[in-house]
Amino acid sequence: MLFSSRVPPLPYQARHLHSAFTFTMTNPSEQALLQIAQQIERAVDEEIDRIDQMDDDEIFAIRQRRMKQLKEVQARRDEWLRKGHGQYLEVASPKEFFDNVQSSERVVVHFMRRSTPRCEVIERHLRAIAHDHFETRFCYVDVERIPSLPERFNVMMLPTLMLVERGNTFHSIIGFDEFGGSDDFTTETATQVLSHYGMVNDKGMFAADQNDE
């Protein structure tokens, strides 16, 4: 016969691709992702329906509340900037230290020494975190310039990060054990550790202010 009704076998490469495609479609992980996507889509549709059912007064009220929140956020940000938030600054004296911890709600104090290599490691991360998290003041104390402060707070090892909230010291991160024990931890890891203690907001500095009631 010149033509056969039997479908010729697929070349090896085509059979391989077909098998991979079938596996992908039946992979439990892919199915789980599809279910999550469908749930998100339903949630978005429900939110759109909710907004569509609002009258003009309700939409206006939401807009006014949002404007008020944004103004409060901007005012708070300006206040933080005036206090030195957003930077990693040296504490020049014991008086300045106590002024800092009393005037800011959250303060991370790095007790350091220039000749200690690990102090330079954590300092790089703190500079980056301070730039992204205005909600917290970041500062450092050079123990050779102000030896009275490490003596007062029994700082025995460098680097030490002293965590202060509302004027009260509640924890100290000594060395790198909480960052994984090695020098090559990332800024993200340092941020997560500080977030664990409530020193930075891992959802963004203004996350709490951006949620509608």
Side-chain angles (χ1 to χ4, degrees), residues 156-170:
M156 306 298 293
M157 179 179 175
L158 301 177
T160 289
L161 301 185
M162 191 169 75
L163 311 184
V164 185
E165 186 173 26
R166 296 184 176 89
N168 297 312
T169 301
F170 69 93

Side-chain angles (χ1 to χ4, degrees), residues 73-129:
V73 164
Q74 184 62 45
R76 186 177 300 181
R77 182 180 183 276
D78 291 344
E79 179 185 1
W80 286 337
L81 288 174
R82 285 195 299 270
K83 291 180 178 180
H85 290 218
Q87 305 176 72
Y88 174 74
L89 301 175
E90 181 176 8
V91 173
S93 67
K95 180 181 183 304
E96 182 178 338
F97 170 85
F98 289 107
D99 287 344
N100 286 352
V101 299
Q102 291 172 4
S103 63
S104 294
E105 184 176 352
R106 290 172 296 273
V107 185
V108 175
V109 184
H110 176 205
F111 286 89
M112 52 79 70
R113 181 173 51 214
R114 288 296 171 201
S115 59
T116 303
R118 279 195 161 186
C119 291
E120 295 182 3
V121 173
I122 190 62
E123 189 168 66
R124 291 197 300 271
H125 297 303
L126 294 179
R127 288 186 187 278
I129 298 171

Side-chain angles (χ1 to χ4, degrees), residues 33-162:
L33 289 174
L34 178 60
Q35 291 176 355
I36 293 173
Q38 291 172 341
Q39 292 173 358
I40 294 174
E41 184 177 0
R42 285 195 296 269
V44 171
D45 289 340
E46 291 173 359
E47 182 64 15
I48 292 174
D49 290 340
R50 185 181 72 85
I51 294 174
D52 287 342
Q53 294 172 8
M54 289 182 178
D55 57 31
D56 291 342
D57 290 340
E58 290 176 316
I59 295 175
F60 178 77
I62 291 175
R63 185 175 300 167
Q64 290 296 104
R65 185 164 65 248
R66 174 65 68 201
M67 290 297 297
K68 179 181 178 182
Q69 290 173 341
L70 290 175
K71 289 179 180 178
E72 291 174 350
V73 164
Q74 184 62 45
R76 186 177 300 181
R77 182 180 183 276
D78 291 344
E79 179 185 1
W80 286 337
L81 288 174
R82 285 195 299 270
K83 291 180 178 180
H85 290 218
Q87 305 176 72
Y88 174 74
L89 301 175
E90 181 176 8
V91 173
S93 67
K95 180 181 183 304
E96 182 178 338
F97 170 85
F98 289 107
D99 287 344
N100 286 352
V101 299
Q102 291 172 4
S103 63
S104 294
E105 184 176 352
R106 290 172 296 273
V107 185
V108 175
V109 184
H110 176 205
F111 286 89
M112 52 79 70
R113 181 173 51 214
R114 288 296 171 201
S115 59
T116 303
R118 279 195 161 186
C119 291
E120 295 182 3
V121 173
I122 190 62
E123 189 168 66
R124 291 197 300 271
H125 297 303
L126 294 179
R127 288 186 187 278
I129 298 171
H131 181 268
D132 292 336
H133 289 273
F134 286 19
E135 72 272 24
T136 303
R137 182 197 291 267
F138 289 84
C139 57
Y140 67 94
V141 173
D142 188 325
V143 299
E144 293 182 336
R145 293 188 179 186
I146 315 177
S148 61
L149 285 176
E151 291 174 2
R152 176 164 184 163
F153 294 104
N154 296 317
V155 175
M156 306 298 293
M157 179 179 175
L158 301 177
T160 289
L161 301 185
M162 191 169 75

